């Protein structure tokens, strides 16, 4: 049999073979023990006892090998999880600096910010969103995430969008009115009524690419002007009673938003000109060889020459530092699977 694939495939093949071997030994042990119980010949009984001891030793050896395989598999999975957790730390410096600058500019009572992340697929925008959520969760006492995906299977219109938020907020059926304006007000009142000092609400709007390009300008304009503006206005009214309340949203686009969107809403990418009502675009950039080396130096225990060699090799194959290619290469890097990722 020819086995293709990575180390996980090989490990699973070995596990199957050893499990089959253990089952075979178990059957031999049962048969041998049955013969022993039925025999009254001392010579035969002595031979069967020796055979049983031999089979038992083989079974214990195979069980020990299976335990080692399980331990190696758990270590590999744990290493992969830690690696994935730390990948957002490679290089989103420019975007994170803008985000932190905006948050620091909020008044004492708090504020709102809606971010746009374009070209998410090649530039790993999902990792940037994960890093933003991580920063927020570490600096608040009440952190809540409301993911809203634009899925074609359940509709892409404004009412469906509101239903998805309402489901997570526990908005009752009687409050889900056909009038979108009143529906928005009902949802926003539910949100603002739950806020206290230190509360942070995070809306994660994903799969925007599923919205047809012809429908994107109207939906985006409605989302910002009817939903976000009202939410921001009511937040200011509510925040007077509390301190450090934040409502943050990210619109994640695998590619680029439709051209008409730039005419339908107000954009901003300058922290000094930030407006809570406008959509703020976060920059995504290609990564440098030094970014890869710095990350390896921070999250592995590899020697310097190995770090430099890995960073150089991965960067050379990444088409000028494309984050998606670098992340994939790091996940497959055999030397990272054999070292401690911290």
């Amino acid at each position: 049999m020819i086995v293709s694939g990575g180390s996980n495939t090989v490990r699973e093949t070995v596990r199957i073979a050893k499990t089959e071997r253990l089952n075979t030994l178990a059957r031999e042990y049962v048969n041998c023990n049955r013969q022993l119980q039925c025999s009254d010949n001392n010579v035969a009984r002595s031979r069967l006892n020796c055979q049983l001891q031999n089979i038992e030793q083989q079974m214990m050896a195979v069980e020990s090998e299976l335990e080692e395989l399980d331990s190696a598999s758990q270590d590999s999975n744990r290493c992969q999880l830690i690696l994935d957790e730390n990948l957002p730390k490679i290089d989103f410096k420019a975007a994170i600096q803008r985000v932190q600058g905006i948050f620091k500019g909020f008044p004492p009572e708090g504020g709102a910010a809606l971010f746009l992340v374009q070209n998410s697929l090649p530039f790993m925008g999902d990792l940037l969103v994960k890093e933003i959520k991580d920063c927020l969760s570490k600096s608040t006492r009440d952190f809540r995430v409301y993911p809203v995906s634009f899925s074609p299977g359940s509709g892409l219109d404004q009412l469906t969008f509101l239903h998805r938020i309402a489901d997570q907020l526990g908005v009752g059926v009687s409050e889900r009115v056909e009038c979108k304006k009143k529906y928005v007000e009902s949802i926003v009142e539910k949100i603002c009524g739950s806020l206290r000092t230190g509360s942070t609400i995070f809306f994660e709007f994903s799969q925007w690419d599923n919205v047809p390009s012809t429908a994107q300008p109207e939906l985006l304009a409605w989302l910002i002007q009817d939903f976000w503006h009202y939410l921001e206005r009511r937040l200011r009214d509510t925040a007077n009673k509390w301190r450090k309340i934040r409502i943050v949203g990210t619109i994640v686009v695998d590619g680029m938003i439709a051209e008409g969107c730039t005419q339908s809403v107000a954009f901003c990418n300058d922290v000094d000109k930030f407006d809570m009502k406008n959509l703020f675009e976060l920059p995504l950039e290609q990564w440098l060889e030094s970014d890869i080396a710095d990350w390896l130096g921070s999250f592995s225990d590899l020697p310097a020459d190995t770090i430099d060699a890995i960073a150089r090799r991965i960067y050379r194959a990444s088409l000028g530092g494309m984050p998606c290619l670098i992340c994939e290469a790091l996940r497959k890097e055999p030397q990272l699977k054999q070292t401690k990722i911290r």
Side-chain angles (χ1 to χ4, degrees):
M1 178 178 66
I2 298 176
V3 179
S4 61
S7 58
N8 287 339
T9 304
V10 174
R11 190 180 293 115
E12 186 59 27
T13 302
V14 173
R15 159 174 270 290
I16 291 171
K18 289 188 179 296
T19 302
E20 290 176 352
R21 173 60 177 157
L22 185 61
N23 291 335
T24 300
L25 288 169
R27 287 192 293 271
E28 291 178 4
Y29 188 92
V30 170
N31 290 333
C32 187
N33 188 62
R34 187 178 294 120
Q35 293 177 44
L36 177 65
Q37 300 302 320
C38 297
S39 175
D40 54 5
N41 184 293
N42 289 335
V43 175
R45 289 179 64 85
S46 177
R47 176 178 56 79
L48 289 168
N49 271 317
C50 289
Q51 193 172 343
L52 280 172
Q53 291 178 11
N54 180 264
I55 295 173
E56 186 176 349
Q57 289 175 358
Q58 291 183 64
M59 290 174 67
M60 292 176 65
V62 175
E63 282 184 337
S64 178
E65 291 169 359
L66 282 169
E67 288 175 359
E68 289 180 7
L69 277 174
D70 287 341
S71 177
S73 179
Q74 290 173 4
D75 289 343
S76 176
N77 292 338
R78 186 161 49 248
C79 180
Q80 189 65 48
L81 286 172
I82 295 173
L83 189 149
D84 286 340
E85 286 177 3
N86 289 321
L87 280 176
K89 310 293 184 185
I90 292 187
D91 183 26
F92 291 108
K93 298 183 186 72
I96 292 298
Q97 283 175 359
R98 283 174 168 80
V99 170
Q100 291 176 339
I102 288 170
F103 292 161
K104 287 179 181 178
F106 282 169
E109 59 269 22
L114 181 61
F115 299 114
L116 173 66
V117 180
Q118 298 195 85
N119 287 318
S120 173
L121 190 61
F123 286 89
M124 301 303 292
D126 58 322
L127 294 184
L128 170 59
V129 173
K130 184 177 179 180
E131 182 71 356
I132 294 172
K133 288 192 292 185
D134 187 54
C135 292
L136 288 169
S137 65
K138 290 178 179 177
S139 60
T140 183
R141 53 166 292 279
D142 173 28
F143 183 61
R144 285 171 269 164
V145 178
Y146 297 118
V148 180
S149 62
F150 293 92
S151 171
S154 55
L156 298 167
D157 55 50
Q158 298 165 9
L159 276 176
T160 304
F161 168 83
L162 293 173
H163 289 332
R164 288 174 185 152
I165 298 178
D167 288 341
Q168 299 180 70
L169 293 172
V171 176
V173 177
S174 61
E175 300 172 88
R176 303 187 183 196
V177 294
E178 287 298 319
C179 174
K180 284 178 286 191
K181 183 176 183 296
K182 291 183 178 179
Y183 199 175
V184 168
E185 291 173 357
S186 176
I187 288 175
V188 169
E189 294 308 314
K190 190 86 170 179
I191 294 170
C192 292
S194 70
L195 299 174
R196 298 293 184 271
T197 292
S199 293
T200 297
I201 303 292
F202 189 91
F203 288 104
E204 189 172 354
F205 305 123
S206 61
Q207 299 184 40
W208 177 263
D209 304 78
N210 286 326
V211 181
S213 57
T214 54
Q216 286 186 23
E218 181 182 354
L219 181 59
L220 185 62
W222 172 85
L223 190 157
I224 294 175
Q225 295 166 10
D226 291 60
F227 177 77
W228 192 260
H229 284 185
Y230 183 72
L231 177 59
E232 186 270 336
R233 186 167 68 252
R234 289 295 296 122
L235 171 64
R236 280 187 279 119
D237 296 337
T238 304
N240 289 330
K241 305 174 185 177
W242 312 101
R243 287 292 180 271
K244 293 188 177 180
I245 291 176
R246 293 177 295 191
I247 295 183
V248 181
T250 55
I251 299 176
V252 180
V253 190
D254 285 346
M256 298 283 288
I257 57 173
E259 290 184 9
C261 292
T262 56
Q263 282 81 47
S264 64
V265 297
F267 282 79
C268 180
N269 55 17
D270 186 343
V271 174
D272 294 331
K273 298 178 181 178
F274 173 75
D275 188 324
M276 295 185 196
K277 296 184 180 68
N278 294 343
L279 186 60
F280 190 96
E281 184 172 4
L282 294 175
L284 292 177
E285 302 172 340
Q286 291 174 303
W287 295 343
L288 304 175
E289 182 180 323
S290 58
D291 295 325
I292 305 171
D294 287 345
W295 183 86
L296 288 168
S298 298
F299 296 104
S300 78
D301 61 357
L302 295 169
D305 57 343
T306 303
I307 286 174
D308 292 340
I310 292 175
R312 186 165 50 251
R313 171 165 44 80
I314 289 178
Y315 181 77
R316 194 164 52 235
S318 68
L319 301 180
M322 290 304 296
C324 60
L325 298 179
I326 291 172
C327 287
E328 185 64 20
L330 287 170
R331 289 187 178 108
K332 292 181 177 179
E333 175 56 45
Q335 294 187 78
L336 286 180
K337 296 178 181 179
Q338 299 167 9
T339 187
K340 291 182 179 180
I341 304 293
R342 48 182 183 267

